[in-house]
């Protein structure tokens, strides 16, 4: 393929070049880090600011094996707690946002009642509400679930609303003409047509959810990925921090990949629009 062809809008590339471009930034980051770590360890073999592979491996072992002081496996306890919180909070967010966004897009009364409130509330940083959440809800799991909900609901409900608004009016009119009830139009026409786009919005909402989860766990928690990161930071445990960052990225990537594959396989028609 000629170089000039690569700069054509939406020009496809072959599989070999795709793999090369995917691997290139990963290799570059690893190489730069390895070089920096090597240089620091040349000056100080016990350096912990940029741990070498041996130190990172030890950090992985420390989180997997049973801790002598607590009797727990750190990684298992932290992943289980974080996944529990993000599953509950995102489940509530998705149910509430999809339902309300769909209602706003279909009914003018609900739109007038809720849309401007959502637009206003979406500009308030959820982390600014954290002191109020802790005062009224406490510092337990409920506070973290509420924070994640507030951090994801307002953006997701707006996305759902806009996706549903994109449904062509002619489809709605045709459904009514064929004798469909209002409930059937709402859930079998509007929601089905907009659902692939809504799934995309849900994919992006998980990114926001992880931000608020980690922030909440860093402030008040007794377990969780964010809790462990802030805890070992006090002992300059960069090797464990890097390992946990990898775990967070892996969980997020796998979740995103699964949702993307569902869209590509079950709703391939939506990608052709």
């Amino acid at each position: 393929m000629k170089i000039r062809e690569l700069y054509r809008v939406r020009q496809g590339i072959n599989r070999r070049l795709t793999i090369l471009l995917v691997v290139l930034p990963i290799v570059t980051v690893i190489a730069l880090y390895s070089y920096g770590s090597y240089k620091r360890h040349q000056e100080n073999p016990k350096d912990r600011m940029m741990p070498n592979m041996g130190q990172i491996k030890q950090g992985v072992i420390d989180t997997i094996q049973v801790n002598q002081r607590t009797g727990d496996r750190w990684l298992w306890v932290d992943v289980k707690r974080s996944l529990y919180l993000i599953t509950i909070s995102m489940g509530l967010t998705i149910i509430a946002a999809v339902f309300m966004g769909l209602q706003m897009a279909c009914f003018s009364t609900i739109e007038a009642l809720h849309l401007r409130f959502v637009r206003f509330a979406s500009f308030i940083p959820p982390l600014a509400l954290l002191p109020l959440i802790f005062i009224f809800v406490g510092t337990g799991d409920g506070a973290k679930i509420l924070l994640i909900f507030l951090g994801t609901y307002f953006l997701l409900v707006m996305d759902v609303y806009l996706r549903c608004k994109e449904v062509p009016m002619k489809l709605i009119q045709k459904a009514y003409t064929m004798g469909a009830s209002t409930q059937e139009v709402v859930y079998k026409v509007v929601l089905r047509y907009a659902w692939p786009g809504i799934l995309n919005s849900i994919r992006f909402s998980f990114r926001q959810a992880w931000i608020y989860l980690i922030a909440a766990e860093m402030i008040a928690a007794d377990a969780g990925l964010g809790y462990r990161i802030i805890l070992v930071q006090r002992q300059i445990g960069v090797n464990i921090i890097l390992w946990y960052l990898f775990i967070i990225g892996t969980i997020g990537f796998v979740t995103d990949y699964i949702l993307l594959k569902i869209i590509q396989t079950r709703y391939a028609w939506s990608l052709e629009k």
Side-chain angles (χ1 to χ4, degrees), residues 134-187:
F134 286 160
I135 290 172
F136 292 106
V137 184
T139 59
D141 289 348
K144 301 174 185 63
I145 291 171
L146 180 58
L147 176 64
I148 298 169
F149 179 85
L150 294 175
T152 53
Y153 170 77
F154 296 107
L155 294 178
L156 182 56
V157 74
M158 283 298 300
D159 277 350
V160 173
Y161 165 77
L162 294 173
R163 297 286 189 179
C164 293
K165 274 290 189 180
E166 293 174 353
V167 177
M169 191 62 191
K170 63 181 181 180
L171 291 181
I172 298 173
Q173 293 172 340
K174 186 175 181 180
Y176 272 125
T177 301
M178 297 177 67
S181 66
T182 297
Q183 288 291 94
E184 289 175 326
V185 170
V186 172
Y187 293 101

Side-chain angles (χ1 to χ4, degrees), residues 207-224:
R207 291 168 170 80
Q208 296 294 324
W210 276 105
I211 293 173
Y212 295 114
L213 171 66
I214 299 302
E217 289 182 338
M218 284 183 171
I219 296 172
D222 56 7

Side-chain angles (χ1 to χ4, degrees), residues 113-126:
L113 177 68
H114 202 54
L115 178 59
R116 285 166 181 78
F117 169 75
V118 169
R119 289 171 59 186
F120 171 80
S122 65
F123 286 101
I124 301 176

